[in-house]
Amino acid sequence: MWVRMRTLTLRPDQPFDLHQTLSCGQVFRWQKEDNGWWQGIVGAQVIRIHQDGNTLTFRGASPKVIRDYFALDMNLPEILASIDRDTAIHAAIESNRGLRIIQQPPWECTLSYLIATFSNIPTIQRRIEALSREFGKKISEEEKYYGFPDPKAFRSRCLDSLENCRLGYRRSYLEDTACRLASDTGWEDRIRALSYEESRKELMTLRGIGPKAADCILLFAFQRYEAFPVDVWIHRIMEERYPDLRGKGNEAIRRFGQEYFGKYAGYAQEYLFAARQVPMSQASW
DNA sequence: TTCCAGGATGCGA
DNA sequence: TCGCATCATGGA
């Protein structure tokens, strides 16, 4: 089937780096092809996209979807200026400028970060692919792409094929949380209506969603940019770059990050995460 | 074989 | 409230 190719011209004063944005670990269903194009599945859409300077060329989505998904209308220079508080974050900004926090669908983001706990990125990607194959709808007959499972797929308890997804101990968490959210159509609106702290507590009532996953979900799916997720990498980076934090727990690091970087602390977290020194043995891109 | 990964849960003190 | 052990899985 012929699919229309479209283009979008970026504003020169609003930096955007497609590669940094898709390869920093915030999304799990994008792959870079040898020819420089990126291909990803968002909901039930297969999107292919390429950047050449200020021009984005893509297919599989409307320009509005692309603008919204990549948050192209947010004033990135203003955000980066607000978090650019010392040499450590400044270096992270300089080496990743153009990275934008993607606006992910809440349902998909929540389940993805639930099964992401205590795993590495390649393993997370495989789990999400397996989950999509078992419970999602086939998008393309010939290429065998599967959309992320719809909530309807989890409204019954017939989830035997979760066994094939090899989620480990996360399986029961996914089962409980997916079934609960699938039958609670108002949960997204309820989260949006709450304050940051309240919405975080609400998310943490879901089985398998703890402090870190809740902050990822708020940051990546609910545009709560004050969220500052602390995982093993951020813990390590913050201890190393801010010596006063040595020996402190994740909660203290989270609060420091939020107070220090302000209302866009989540952007600071993402830039520090993107600038982390990943051992070659663990690099996935 | 051993270590580690975008942690969360449950239990005991 | 805090610290700690435990929990599957897969890659290097």
Side-chain angles (χ1 to χ4, degrees):
Chain A
M1 187 176 75
W2 183 81
V3 181
R4 183 180 175 188
M5 198 69 79
R6 313 187 75 153
T7 61
L8 198 157
T9 303
L10 301 167
R11 282 175 49 174
D13 62 329
Q14 286 298 322
F16 175 62
D17 188 316
L18 181 69
H19 176 75
Q20 298 285 9
T21 299
L22 290 175
S23 63
C24 71
Q26 59 178 322
V27 282
F28 303 113
R29 299 205 74 190
W30 286 88
Q31 298 288 337
K32 191 175 187 185
E33 300 173 344
D34 294 338
N35 58 9
W37 282 70
W38 282 88
Q39 178 166 286
I41 302 173
V42 180
Q45 297 292 113
V46 179
I47 298 175
R48 294 189 76 238
I49 188 166
H50 176 262
Q51 180 173 20
D52 183 8
N54 283 340
T55 302
L56 288 178
T57 307
F58 55 92
R59 73 178 193 196
S62 70
K64 182 180 186 322
V65 167
I66 295 295
R67 295 199 80 85
D68 290 346
Y69 184 71
F70 291 109
L72 296 177
D73 292 326
M74 290 197 70
N75 190 334
L76 188 61
E78 191 175 294
I79 292 169
L80 298 182
S82 78
I83 61 172
D84 194 356
R85 299 208 50 189
D86 57 47
T87 54
I89 185 68
H90 185 75
I93 290 172
E94 287 307 304
S95 58
N96 295 279
R97 188 177 289 276
L99 188 167
R100 286 174 182 261
I101 292 181
I102 286 173
Q103 300 186 357
Q104 301 183 36
W107 159 263
E108 179 173 341
C109 183
T110 300
L111 297 194
S112 296
Y113 276 91
L114 185 154
I115 60 177
T117 60
F118 200 30
S119 301
N120 53 45
I121 290 173
T123 302
I124 299 163
Q125 291 174 318
R126 270 187 295 278
R127 287 195 190 123
I128 294 174
E129 286 307 315
L131 199 62
S132 299
R133 273 198 307 277
E134 292 294 336
F135 295 95
K137 289 180 184 163
K138 192 183 281 189
I139 301 172
S140 156
E141 195 63 42
E142 69 281 6
E143 297 180 88
K144 296 182 179 175
Y145 296 124
Y146 288 83
F148 193 82
D150 192 83
K152 282 185 283 191
F154 295 100
R155 284 195 185 137
S156 76
R157 278 276 173 178
C158 303
L159 301 175
D160 292 345
S161 51
L162 269 178
E163 185 67 33
N164 302 329
C165 300
R166 308 194 67 77
L167 305 179
Y169 63 88
R170 305 163 194 80
R171 175 183 167 169
S172 68
Y173 301 161
L174 182 95
E175 212 164 340
D176 288 355
T177 290
C179 289
R180 179 176 151 188
L181 293 183
S183 58
D184 180 4
T185 54
W187 76 276
E188 289 184 29
D189 291 337
R190 215 166 49 247
I191 295 291
R192 288 190 195 284
L194 295 171
S195 70
Y196 162 71
E197 289 290 348
E198 288 171 333
S199 57
R200 188 168 182 267
K201 280 182 192 167
E202 179 69 18
L203 284 172
M204 286 167 60
T205 66
L206 298 168
R207 239 171 86 75
I209 303 296
K212 187 265 173 182
D215 277 323
C216 283
I217 295 161
L218 288 170
L219 180 59
F220 299 135
F222 289 96
Q223 294 79 53
R224 303 310 298 254
Y225 297 109
E226 66 268 53
F228 192 83
V230 181
D231 61 8
V232 291
W233 291 103
I234 291 298
H235 190 116
R236 202 174 293 153
I237 290 166
M238 295 295 282
E239 276 196 327
E240 181 186 328
R241 301 189 179 172
Y242 305 95
D244 289 350
L245 294 175
R246 286 180 188 158
K248 304 280 189 184
N250 284 355
E251 177 64 13
I253 293 175
R254 175 179 77 94
R255 289 194 180 282
F256 170 83
Q258 291 190 296
E259 289 170 17
Y260 186 66
F261 293 113
K263 67 176 181 176
Y264 290 109
Y267 258 91
Q269 190 271 6
E270 204 56 14
Y271 271 74
L272 289 171
F273 185 82
R276 73 198 188 282
Q277 301 297 314
V278 184
M280 286 308 291
S281 62
Q282 293 172 30
S284 55
W285 285 287

